[in-house]
Amino acid sequence: MTALWEPATAGVLRLPSGRLVRGRGLRHPLPAGPEPDFALYLLGHEPPPVPWEARWLRWPDFWLPSDRAAAGDALREAWERAGSERVEIACGGGRGRTGTALACLAVLDGVPGRRAVAYVREHYASHAVETPWQRRFVARFR
């Protein structure tokens, strides 16, 4: 079993179940410490290759995923894997798309959709989830 993220590490969100997921902005340097085992990248273009397993979702900045079904599958995979692996979710800046995805993971973890954005803003970043349609996406996520 992989050693998981340290809960006190910057950018690491602890979900109610205890799962730990690191959120970050790809425009910033890779944080010190262990590399992820799996990453979900939320970008409008394919990201450069990384030495760990990664999945890319086409998700333009300030918008929603281009393929909602694929997004649901990828977010469920990230949530499942976070139970035993170091999982990273990242977009360009680490707030809007990343915050939206983290809020969806909170929903999968049992946080009601109407509370998930507040949960992520309290425990990850106060400006996470940037647009009304991102908030609506989280509220309707199942």
Side-chain angles (χ1 to χ4, degrees), residues 26-56:
L26 294 171
R27 289 192 295 262
H28 307 291
L30 184 66
E35 295 177 341
D37 298 307
F38 174 75
L40 179 58
Y41 296 127
L42 317 169
L43 297 167
H45 56 85
E46 190 168 0
V50 291
W52 48 84
E53 188 177 351
R55 188 167 174 179
W56 166 55

Side-chain angles (χ1 to χ4, degrees), residues 39-130:
L40 179 58
Y41 296 127
L42 317 169
L43 297 167
H45 56 85
E46 190 168 0
V50 291
W52 48 84
E53 188 177 351
R55 188 167 174 179
W56 166 55
L57 279 178
R58 184 178 303 279
W59 191 329
D61 203 6
F62 297 105
W63 292 99
L64 296 174
S66 298
D67 182 334
R68 310 278 170 86
D73 290 344
L75 291 166
R76 284 178 188 80
E77 179 182 3
W79 179 82
E80 284 287 336
R81 294 178 76 153
S84 60
E85 299 176 59
R86 287 186 305 269
V87 172
E88 169 178 271
I89 296 186
C91 63
R95 296 292 180 251
R97 294 167 285 182
T98 296
T100 302
L102 291 173
C104 290
L105 295 189
V107 170
L108 292 173
D109 210 61
V111 176
R114 67 187 183 285
R115 291 278 314 130
V117 171
Y119 182 88
V120 169
R121 286 178 174 171
E122 179 181 346
H123 299 283
Y124 169 68
S126 61
H127 297 293
V129 190
E130 296 172 319

